Amino acid sequence: MKLDPTQMADWQIAEAAEQNIKPIQEIGAKLGLQEGELIPMGPAVAKINYTQTWKRLKDAPTGKYVDVTAITPTPLGEGKTTTTMGLVEGLGVLGKKPIGAIRQPSSGPTFNIKGSAAGGGLAQCIPLAPFSLGLTGDFDAITNAHNLAMVALTARMQHENNYDDERLAKIGIKRLDVDPERVQLKWAMDFCAQSLRNITIGKGSKMDGYEMESGFQITVSSEIMAILAVASSLKDMRERIGKMVVAYSRSGAEVTTADLEVDGAMTALMVDALNPNLVQTIEGNPVLVHAGPFANIAIGQNSVIADMLGIRMGDYLVTESGFAADIGFEKFWNLKCRYSGLKPDAVVIVATVRALKMHGGGPSVKPGKPLDPAYTEENLKLLEKGCANLTAHINIVKQSGVSPVVCINGFYTDTQAEHDLIRRIAKEQDARCAVSEHWLKGGEGAVELAEAVVEACEEENHFEYLYDLDMPFKDRVHAIATKIYGASGVEWSEAADKKISMFEADPEIKQMGMCMVKTHLSLSHNPDFKGAPSGWILPIRDVLIYKGAGFVVPVAGDIKLLPGTGSNPGFRQIDVDVETGKVTGLF
Amino acid sequence: MKLDPTQMADWQIAEAAEQNIKPIQEIGAKLGLQEGELIPMGPAVAKINYTQTWKRLKDAPTGKYVDVTAITPTPLGEGKTTTTMGLVEGLGVLGKKPIGAIRQPSSGPTFNIKGSAAGGGLAQCIPLAPFSLGLTGDFDAITNAHNLAMVALTARMQHENNYDDERLAKIGIKRLDVDPERVQLKWAMDFCAQSLRNITIGKGSKMDGYEMESGFQITVSSEIMAILAVASSLKDMRERIGKMVVAYSRSGAEVTTADLEVDGAMTALMVDALNPNLVQTIEGNPVLVHAGPFANIAIGQNSVIADMLGIRMGDYLVTESGFAADIGFEKFWNLKCRYSGLKPDAVVIVATVRALKMHGGGPSVKPGKPLDPAYTEENLKLLEKGCANLTAHINIVKQSGVSPVVCINGFYTDTQAEHDLIRRIAKEQDARCAVSEHWLKGGEGAVELAEAVVEACEEENHFEYLYDLDMPFKDRVHAIATKIYGASGVEWSEAADKKISMFEADPEIKQMGMCMVKTHLSLSHNPDFKGAPSGWILPIRDVLIYKGAGFVVPVAGDIKLLPGTGSNPGFRQIDVDVETGKVTGLF
């Protein structure tokens, strides 16, 4: 069967490709996995026993490490995962042993407007339905561990409210005296459930909880997701989970999951989630899937563990950092690489003609709406203007000391003149550039990109962090805002200012990492500022503390930790063929 | 290693027994499963591909069908699952090919006060940690499918509130006009999260949802759990999910998941959950695990699918119906058997000296508190008085036309005289009786029980339903209240009365089944009425409609669909050995 992305939806291509899917044992063998290291979970999905495999591999030689980032995307996304898969296929065509490392999709976007996060066209990972619908349950484990902490906290508040010290002492419980106004944790759900953003809980009698304001956040933004992304071992994960600050007491003391005596049980729910998942590309190359997306409101990186294993099992590990270079790559660079100790050998910046035209002033691009002809017909003027955004992202990557490779993720409506224009601008910025047609042609279409990446990996590497951990948080935010985002300065709200001073005064927190929360739809905090905006101030509205994950989280602008489901959500199209059990309509 | 239940916690026995656990492929081979029918999910757990296996087995001969129920339990439970496992082991010792079929535990009790639901002592199924902590994710799938319906409903209410008809029409959406006072569905979470019982959602701006009262229910009480328990195929499950009534419109019309166009996506999340799970007893006999517990607030039965398969794969299928005969067995008898078309060949009633003494007026039994000496020393007076409860349950089972087998689940503090007394009373009621020591001795300890069950299965069977589906609901409730619970009559609240009349007037609903919600701690609706209470009236407070599952749900007395976490919850003891990954403290 000929797979034609111009005629078939992604899920139809996946379904057809799955006719020839390789048994997961065969993919495991490609990675050199030994007895007990591969744990099949169905015919084409497996977990990799991290502890056992790491023991064998920890001193093994490492391959090349390639990160894939992008320019500021339209709300449709610019094919970063597609390019990651395409690059893996292209490296495969060149005879290398490539491995992909991507994040597991959140059910929020899957059922809302963004659809599958498996790539697209002929550059996808399969099997699509398990990949898109929870895989081996890691996110459910995170949701459950997170909510168990909230169950422990809210039940404790109720019991401390209802019972006297004597009764509590009988069961060995000392009063924590949680301040209901200073509960830090929300509940978690992996859907875009905006109606749970702000809620009142504990209504009814004194046996129905403690009445207070609360809310939900999307699972991918949970601190436990961050912990999964940065943990280096089960022991490390266990310790981090116990350090999570869920609230403060009325006297200002931290209340942690360990104080609630729930950290062990939370870890029990997370034991299996620590093992990375294994799937394959359409062309049969291995893909590790571990931890979560949403680099705007979370760390948004594939796990340190998956990368540490992957780089020792192949000769190229292609990993992906969420959204654009200001968001995902900045966190890859200053946060994830600090945890892993790894340094990228090359960084790919994905650009599309569509997004660059939008940055040049093209009409707004919205999911579910037909594209304006400006995007499907040649328009060099819009494109050239929009390339300011590409230039900005090239310069972000260059500041890390690694040479960027611009990948034009080709679309079949693009013209040669459009591609030539982008190539010229990349060259002016002294960046490699390749056009890639992996969406249309799979690995064969990505050979130019793969060759450019192989070449870039041989270059001398001057990778260094943007800031030291000795730098005060406000200075770090200022550095990111001005050097990465292109802002003129930073403005702190009173609440944020108070919190950051408190964190700065804590010698343990002071040395922690920092994970920005900011929209991905602009280099600035304002989604409407396209291109490479200048002359604006970054407003910091709030600061969260993820003491278990090990970072403070400045929140820029009006961004929500629980997105909303739109009026025309994707779940309307999803169904099941009841004869075969195949899921249809994952878009 | 000698496994001694008097010296070791259940989880320690499980851990030791797991040293010799059989590969799940070996257990699958015992069931005669063929290529593709067994889907290993880790080394000792598998799913069974239902559709494929059923196709092969549907005309196969069936074995004997044994249900295990109990007397009214103490809050500690009287070892029904333990006895189910013990009976399977005992039948194995007799050289039969037995299969167990039990329900997957809910995380609510697991992390709260009840602990593991894998059985106990030497009558357990293993591996314990996966079994206790989500197994292959079926309950997470239910939670997710359930909450996706709520996401669809609440987002729709918001969008209908914010947008005019024209804008809705553009995306092909017709106004449903949901009445916020008549939303039937709650959100789901599989924890005892009492603070989410009554909540206000949608607070904030008009983009933060539609403000209204809402709440959570425990996942096991979800209609989707009921659908999983009664569905006979993927097609059947798909249709049932689409019929779920989530709300009523302002004009009184039903609003279903199909109206929200979310039923296909919900089914997509449930495809894998339809496949029963396979584990093993400590002695290596196969155990199917599928669907959920909580026969007080849910159907509380292992799935029809698991039983339909199991009865064709061995010569004895031992299944379990939740709690006591008034609750679990009544639903097994009048609801589950109607869906499956199966008839039990024998029914085991589990009794303990401890519970019978409590029914005779012994001091209250509470989790986490030491037992009063009345329970650990011989006390024939309390015991004899309490046997009124046993007699009542024997008579419930007899009304179904099947001969009961009383199983005294022996405890090492029981005396011979106590056992003799129970045997005498069972004999007076013309019921078989066996003492079983499976907890202490495994299958060897359950031989007397197994022999009694084999004998009972050879008896002539007069099984028939308590009521026909032509009978009006009020008459059915009256029949159950007076003949099963021993009430003098039924009292309907105004709200319940109004609802039942509405359901009675609907020709489709009129012919549906009925699933009572009532406490399991008494034959009555009042947990304090022990023994075999008489002269009381059953109050029906509310009636729910599970149109997808196919039954109406009368709610008796003040029972909650979301239990609470106690002040000394089990999660305090649960932890992980970070060197081995083993979960400790599952009690």
Side-chain angles (χ1 to χ4, degrees), chain B residues 126-153:
Chain B
I126 49 176
L128 179 63
F131 174 82
S132 300
L133 300 173
L135 206 52
T136 59
D138 296 351
F139 286 14
D140 291 320
I142 292 169
T143 303
N144 292 338
H146 185 118
N147 287 331
L148 186 58
M150 282 302 284
V151 167
L153 175 71

PDB file of all heavy atoms in Angstrom, chain B residues 126-153:
ATOM      1  N   ILE B 126      -0.878 -13.212  43.271  1.00  0.00           N
ATOM      2  CA  ILE B 126       0.363 -12.463  43.094  1.00  0.00           C
ATOM      3  C   ILE B 126       0.565 -12.199  41.602  1.00  0.00           C
ATOM      4  O   ILE B 126      -0.019 -12.905  40.788  1.00  0.00           O
ATOM      5  CB  ILE B 126       1.577 -13.221  43.682  1.00  0.00           C
ATOM      6  CG1 ILE B 126       1.587 -14.692  43.186  1.00  0.00           C
ATOM      7  CG2 ILE B 126       1.579 -13.173  45.182  1.00  0.00           C
ATOM      8  CD1 ILE B 126       2.808 -15.498  43.630  1.00  0.00           C
ATOM      9  N   PRO B 127       1.374 -11.220  41.209  1.00  0.00           N
ATOM     10  CA  PRO B 127       2.195 -10.332  42.033  1.00  0.00           C
ATOM     11  C   PRO B 127       1.346  -9.250  42.719  1.00  0.00           C
ATOM     12  O   PRO B 127       0.491  -8.640  42.089  1.00  0.00           O
ATOM     13  CB  PRO B 127       3.151  -9.702  41.024  1.00  0.00           C
ATOM     14  CG  PRO B 127       2.407  -9.732  39.718  1.00  0.00           C
ATOM     15  CD  PRO B 127       1.547 -10.953  39.770  1.00  0.00           C
ATOM     16  N   LEU B 128       1.629  -9.039  44.006  1.00  0.00           N
ATOM     17  CA  LEU B 128       0.783  -8.186  44.830  1.00  0.00           C
ATOM     18  C   LEU B 128       0.851  -6.708  44.447  1.00  0.00           C
ATOM     19  O   LEU B 128      -0.182  -6.042  44.371  1.00  0.00           O
ATOM     20  CB  LEU B 128       1.166  -8.349  46.308  1.00  0.00           C
ATOM     21  CG  LEU B 128       0.381  -7.483  47.298  1.00  0.00           C
ATOM     22  CD1 LEU B 128      -1.104  -7.829  47.286  1.00  0.00           C
ATOM     23  CD2 LEU B 128       0.930  -7.625  48.715  1.00  0.00           C
ATOM     24  N   ALA B 129       2.060  -6.178  44.214  1.00  0.00           N
ATOM     25  CA  ALA B 129       2.167  -4.734  43.982  1.00  0.00           C
ATOM     26  C   ALA B 129       1.434  -4.300  42.713  1.00  0.00           C
ATOM     27  O   ALA B 129       0.606  -3.400  42.764  1.00  0.00           O
ATOM     28  CB  ALA B 129       3.625  -4.292  43.980  1.00  0.00           C
ATOM     29  N   PRO B 130       1.690  -4.928  41.558  1.00  0.00           N
ATOM     30  CA  PRO B 130       0.911  -4.519  40.386  1.00  0.00           C
ATOM     31  C   PRO B 130      -0.583  -4.726  40.591  1.00  0.00           C
ATOM     32  O   PRO B 130      -1.385  -3.865  40.220  1.00  0.00           O
ATOM     33  CB  PRO B 130       1.420  -5.431  39.261  1.00  0.00           C
ATOM     34  CG  PRO B 130       2.626  -6.102  39.761  1.00  0.00           C
ATOM     35  CD  PRO B 130       2.703  -5.936  41.248  1.00  0.00           C
ATOM     36  N   PHE B 131      -0.948  -5.857  41.201  1.00  0.00           N
ATOM     37  CA  PHE B 131      -2.369  -6.115  41.445  1.00  0.00           C
ATOM     38  C   PHE B 131      -2.995  -4.983  42.260  1.00  0.00           C
ATOM     39  O   PHE B 131      -4.085  -4.504  41.956  1.00  0.00           O
ATOM     40  CB  PHE B 131      -2.528  -7.447  42.190  1.00  0.00           C
ATOM     41  CG  PHE B 131      -3.942  -7.743  42.625  1.00  0.00           C
ATOM     42  CD1 PHE B 131      -4.848  -8.285  41.726  1.00  0.00           C
ATOM     43  CD2 PHE B 131      -4.363  -7.458  43.914  1.00  0.00           C
ATOM     44  CE1 PHE B 131      -6.165  -8.539  42.121  1.00  0.00           C
ATOM     45  CE2 PHE B 131      -5.672  -7.712  44.312  1.00  0.00           C
ATOM     46  CZ  PHE B 131      -6.575  -8.251  43.414  1.00  0.00           C
ATOM     47  N   SER B 132      -2.285  -4.528  43.284  1.00  0.00           N
ATOM     48  CA  SER B 132      -2.848  -3.533  44.199  1.00  0.00           C
ATOM     49  C   SER B 132      -2.747  -2.108  43.669  1.00  0.00           C
ATOM     50  O   SER B 132      -3.469  -1.231  44.124  1.00  0.00           O
ATOM     51  CB  SER B 132      -2.116  -3.587  45.550  1.00  0.00           C
ATOM     52  OG  SER B 132      -2.257  -4.854  46.132  1.00  0.00           O
ATOM     53  N   LEU B 133      -1.815  -1.865  42.742  1.00  0.00           N
ATOM     54  CA  LEU B 133      -1.518  -0.485  42.357  1.00  0.00           C
ATOM     55  C   LEU B 133      -1.874  -0.203  40.903  1.00  0.00           C
ATOM     56  O   LEU B 133      -1.095   0.371  40.149  1.00  0.00           O
ATOM     57  CB  LEU B 133      -0.042  -0.181  42.626  1.00  0.00           C
ATOM     58  CG  LEU B 133       0.403  -0.320  44.088  1.00  0.00           C
ATOM     59  CD1 LEU B 133       1.910  -0.153  44.205  1.00  0.00           C
ATOM     60  CD2 LEU B 133      -0.315   0.692  44.978  1.00  0.00           C
ATOM     61  N   GLY B 134      -3.061  -0.634  40.499  1.00  0.00           N
ATOM     62  CA  GLY B 134      -3.554  -0.210  39.186  1.00  0.00           C
ATOM     63  C   GLY B 134      -3.468  -1.258  38.093  1.00  0.00           C
ATOM     64  O   GLY B 134      -4.016  -1.069  37.022  1.00  0.00           O
ATOM     65  N   LEU B 135      -2.757  -2.330  38.337  1.00  0.00           N
ATOM     66  CA  LEU B 135      -2.653  -3.450  37.406  1.00  0.00           C
ATOM     67  C   LEU B 135      -2.328  -2.932  36.002  1.00  0.00           C
ATOM     68  O   LEU B 135      -1.296  -2.298  35.820  1.00  0.00           O
ATOM     69  CB  LEU B 135      -3.951  -4.257  37.453  1.00  0.00           C
ATOM     70  CG  LEU B 135      -3.874  -5.755  37.073  1.00  0.00           C
ATOM     71  CD1 LEU B 135      -2.810  -6.485  37.830  1.00  0.00           C
ATOM     72  CD2 LEU B 135      -5.213  -6.436  37.265  1.00  0.00           C
ATOM     73  N   THR B 136      -3.194  -3.158  35.015  1.00  0.00           N
ATOM     74  CA  THR B 136      -2.875  -2.721  33.651  1.00  0.00           C
ATOM     75  C   THR B 136      -3.592  -1.420  33.282  1.00  0.00           C
ATOM     76  O   THR B 136      -3.694  -1.076  32.109  1.00  0.00           O
ATOM     77  CB  THR B 136      -3.262  -3.814  32.640  1.00  0.00           C
ATOM     78  OG1 THR B 136      -4.669  -4.072  32.786  1.00  0.00           O
ATOM     79  CG2 THR B 136      -2.493  -5.090  32.878  1.00  0.00           C
ATOM     80  N   GLY B 137      -4.087  -0.722  34.298  1.00  0.00           N
ATOM     81  CA  GLY B 137      -4.623   0.613  34.030  1.00  0.00           C
ATOM     82  C   GLY B 137      -6.107   0.691  33.692  1.00  0.00           C
ATOM     83  O   GLY B 137      -6.584   1.737  33.256  1.00  0.00           O
ATOM     84  N   ASP B 138      -6.857  -0.388  33.930  1.00  0.00           N
ATOM     85  CA  ASP B 138      -8.285  -0.346  33.584  1.00  0.00           C
ATOM     86  C   ASP B 138      -9.033   0.759  34.335  1.00  0.00           C
ATOM     87  O   ASP B 138      -9.874   1.448  33.764  1.00  0.00           O
ATOM     88  CB  ASP B 138      -8.967  -1.688  33.910  1.00  0.00           C
ATOM     89  CG  ASP B 138      -8.422  -2.831  33.073  1.00  0.00           C
ATOM     90  OD1 ASP B 138      -7.655  -2.576  32.125  1.00  0.00           O
ATOM     91  OD2 ASP B 138      -8.777  -3.991  33.368  1.00  0.00           O
ATOM     92  N   PHE B 139      -8.727   0.913  35.620  1.00  0.00           N
ATOM     93  CA  PHE B 139      -9.460   1.916  36.403  1.00  0.00           C
ATOM     94  C   PHE B 139      -9.067   3.324  35.979  1.00  0.00           C
ATOM     95  O   PHE B 139      -9.879   4.241  36.011  1.00  0.00           O
ATOM     96  CB  PHE B 139      -9.205   1.729  37.909  1.00  0.00           C
ATOM     97  CG  PHE B 139      -9.921   0.547  38.498  1.00  0.00           C
ATOM     98  CD1 PHE B 139     -10.489  -0.432  37.696  1.00  0.00           C
ATOM     99  CD2 PHE B 139     -10.046   0.423  39.872  1.00  0.00           C
ATOM    100  CE1 PHE B 139     -11.151  -1.523  38.243  1.00  0.00           C
ATOM    101  CE2 PHE B 139     -10.703  -0.660  40.436  1.00  0.00           C
ATOM    102  CZ  PHE B 139     -11.253  -1.638  39.626  1.00  0.00           C
ATOM    103  N   ASP B 140      -7.796   3.501  35.609  1.00  0.00           N
ATOM    104  CA  ASP B 140      -7.392   4.805  35.089  1.00  0.00           C
ATOM    105  C   ASP B 140      -8.150   5.102  33.797  1.00  0.00           C
ATOM    106  O   ASP B 140      -8.565   6.235  33.558  1.00  0.00           O
ATOM    107  CB  ASP B 140      -5.888   4.840  34.841  1.00  0.00           C
ATOM    108  CG  ASP B 140      -5.086   4.814  36.136  1.00  0.00           C
ATOM    109  OD1 ASP B 140      -5.505   5.481  37.101  1.00  0.00           O
ATOM    110  OD2 ASP B 140      -4.065   4.129  36.192  1.00  0.00           O
ATOM    111  N   ALA B 141      -8.328   4.070  32.974  1.00  0.00           N
ATOM    112  CA  ALA B 141      -9.086   4.266  31.731  1.00  0.00           C
ATOM    113  C   ALA B 141     -10.515   4.693  32.050  1.00  0.00           C
ATOM    114  O   ALA B 141     -11.068   5.590  31.398  1.00  0.00           O
ATOM    115  CB  ALA B 141      -9.078   2.979  30.903  1.00  0.00           C
ATOM    116  N   ILE B 142     -11.092   4.072  33.054  1.00  0.00           N
ATOM    117  CA  ILE B 142     -12.465   4.435  33.440  1.00  0.00           C
ATOM    118  C   ILE B 142     -12.504   5.861  33.973  1.00  0.00           C
ATOM    119  O   ILE B 142     -13.355   6.662  33.587  1.00  0.00           O
ATOM    120  CB  ILE B 142     -13.007   3.439  34.493  1.00  0.00           C
ATOM    121  CG1 ILE B 142     -13.190   2.062  33.843  1.00  0.00           C
ATOM    122  CG2 ILE B 142     -14.314   3.937  35.092  1.00  0.00           C
ATOM    123  CD1 ILE B 142     -13.469   0.946  34.814  1.00  0.00           C
ATOM    124  N   THR B 143     -11.573   6.182  34.866  1.00  0.00           N
ATOM    125  CA  THR B 143     -11.499   7.551  35.391  1.00  0.00           C
ATOM    126  C   THR B 143     -11.396   8.546  34.238  1.00  0.00           C
ATOM    127  O   THR B 143     -12.110   9.555  34.203  1.00  0.00           O
ATOM    128  CB  THR B 143     -10.261   7.708  36.304  1.00  0.00           C
ATOM    129  OG1 THR B 143     -10.326   6.736  37.350  1.00  0.00           O
ATOM    130  CG2 THR B 143     -10.202   9.093  36.920  1.00  0.00           C
ATOM    131  N   ASN B 144     -10.523   8.246  33.286  1.00  0.00           N
ATOM    132  CA  ASN B 144     -10.296   9.181  32.183  1.00  0.00           C
ATOM    133  C   ASN B 144     -11.512   9.292  31.272  1.00  0.00           C
ATOM    134  O   ASN B 144     -11.903  10.398  30.884  1.00  0.00           O
ATOM    135  CB  ASN B 144      -9.060   8.756  31.390  1.00  0.00           C
ATOM    136  CG  ASN B 144      -7.782   8.924  32.196  1.00  0.00           C
ATOM    137  OD1 ASN B 144      -7.733   9.692  33.154  1.00  0.00           O
ATOM    138  ND2 ASN B 144      -6.742   8.198  31.830  1.00  0.00           N
ATOM    139  N   ALA B 145     -12.107   8.163  30.916  1.00  0.00           N
ATOM    140  CA  ALA B 145     -13.285   8.200  30.044  1.00  0.00           C
ATOM    141  C   ALA B 145     -14.418   8.950  30.735  1.00  0.00           C
ATOM    142  O   ALA B 145     -15.112   9.768  30.127  1.00  0.00           O
ATOM    143  CB  ALA B 145     -13.718   6.779  29.686  1.00  0.00           C
ATOM    144  N   HIS B 146     -14.575   8.689  32.020  1.00  0.00           N
ATOM    145  CA  HIS B 146     -15.620   9.352  32.802  1.00  0.00           C
ATOM    146  C   HIS B 146     -15.380  10.873  32.837  1.00  0.00           C
ATOM    147  O   HIS B 146     -16.277  11.656  32.546  1.00  0.00           O
ATOM    148  CB  HIS B 146     -15.607   8.766  34.224  1.00  0.00           C
ATOM    149  CG  HIS B 146     -16.715   9.273  35.100  1.00  0.00           C
ATOM    150  ND1 HIS B 146     -17.665   8.454  35.635  1.00  0.00           N
ATOM    151  CD2 HIS B 146     -17.033  10.516  35.530  1.00  0.00           C
ATOM    152  CE1 HIS B 146     -18.516   9.158  36.354  1.00  0.00           C
ATOM    153  NE2 HIS B 146     -18.142  10.425  36.318  1.00  0.00           N
ATOM    154  N   ASN B 147     -14.160  11.270  33.160  1.00  0.00           N
ATOM    155  CA  ASN B 147     -13.880  12.704  33.257  1.00  0.00           C
ATOM    156  C   ASN B 147     -13.922  13.388  31.896  1.00  0.00           C
ATOM    157  O   ASN B 147     -14.254  14.575  31.813  1.00  0.00           O
ATOM    158  CB  ASN B 147     -12.537  12.938  33.952  1.00  0.00           C
ATOM    159  CG  ASN B 147     -12.633  12.653  35.440  1.00  0.00           C
ATOM    160  OD1 ASN B 147     -13.701  12.797  36.042  1.00  0.00           O
ATOM    161  ND2 ASN B 147     -11.536  12.244  36.047  1.00  0.00           N
ATOM    162  N   LEU B 148     -13.606  12.644  30.830  1.00  0.00           N
ATOM    163  CA  LEU B 148     -13.712  13.242  29.493  1.00  0.00           C
ATOM    164  C   LEU B 148     -15.171  13.623  29.206  1.00  0.00           C
ATOM    165  O   LEU B 148     -15.438  14.666  28.584  1.00  0.00           O
ATOM    166  CB  LEU B 148     -13.172  12.277  28.429  1.00  0.00           C
ATOM    167  CG  LEU B 148     -13.098  12.842  27.001  1.00  0.00           C
ATOM    168  CD1 LEU B 148     -12.221  14.093  26.928  1.00  0.00           C
ATOM    169  CD2 LEU B 148     -12.589  11.787  26.023  1.00  0.00           C
ATOM    170  N   ALA B 149     -16.106  12.807  29.678  1.00  0.00           N
ATOM    171  CA  ALA B 149     -17.524  13.157  29.519  1.00  0.00           C
ATOM    172  C   ALA B 149     -17.834  14.452  30.262  1.00  0.00           C
ATOM    173  O   ALA B 149     -18.566  15.315  29.767  1.00  0.00           O
ATOM    174  CB  ALA B 149     -18.413  12.017  30.023  1.00  0.00           C
ATOM    175  N   MET B 150     -17.258  14.602  31.456  1.00  0.00           N
ATOM    176  CA  MET B 150     -17.491  15.823  32.238  1.00  0.00           C
ATOM    177  C   MET B 150     -16.817  17.031  31.592  1.00  0.00           C
ATOM    178  O   MET B 150     -17.345  18.146  31.635  1.00  0.00           O
ATOM    179  CB  MET B 150     -16.987  15.634  33.672  1.00  0.00           C
ATOM    180  CG  MET B 150     -17.914  14.821  34.530  1.00  0.00           C
ATOM    181  SD  MET B 150     -19.595  15.486  34.670  1.00  0.00           S
ATOM    182  CE  MET B 150     -19.345  16.861  35.808  1.00  0.00           C
ATOM    183  N   VAL B 151     -15.641  16.817  31.011  1.00  0.00           N
ATOM    184  CA  VAL B 151     -14.967  17.902  30.279  1.00  0.00           C
ATOM    185  C   VAL B 151     -15.864  18.345  29.124  1.00  0.00           C
ATOM    186  O   VAL B 151     -16.097  19.542  28.911  1.00  0.00           O
ATOM    187  CB  VAL B 151     -13.593  17.432  29.745  1.00  0.00           C
ATOM    188  CG1 VAL B 151     -13.029  18.417  28.728  1.00  0.00           C
ATOM    189  CG2 VAL B 151     -12.611  17.245  30.907  1.00  0.00           C
ATOM    190  N   ALA B 152     -16.399  17.369  28.403  1.00  0.00           N
ATOM    191  CA  ALA B 152     -17.259  17.690  27.256  1.00  0.00           C
ATOM    192  C   ALA B 152     -18.513  18.434  27.710  1.00  0.00           C
ATOM    193  O   ALA B 152     -18.913  19.436  27.108  1.00  0.00           O
ATOM    194  CB  ALA B 152     -17.640  16.399  26.529  1.00  0.00           C
ATOM    195  N   LEU B 153     -19.100  17.963  28.789  1.00  0.00           N
ATOM    196  CA  LEU B 153     -20.335  18.589  29.283  1.00  0.00           C
ATOM    197  C   LEU B 153     -20.081  20.014  29.766  1.00  0.00           C
ATOM    198  O   LEU B 153     -20.785  20.956  29.385  1.00  0.00           O
ATOM    199  CB  LEU B 153     -20.918  17.756  30.428  1.00  0.00           C
ATOM    200  CG  LEU B 153     -22.143  18.373  31.108  1.00  0.00           C
ATOM    201  CD1 LEU B 153     -23.353  18.318  30.177  1.00  0.00           C
ATOM    202  CD2 LEU B 153     -22.463  17.688  32.428  1.00  0.00           C
TER     203      LEU B 153
END
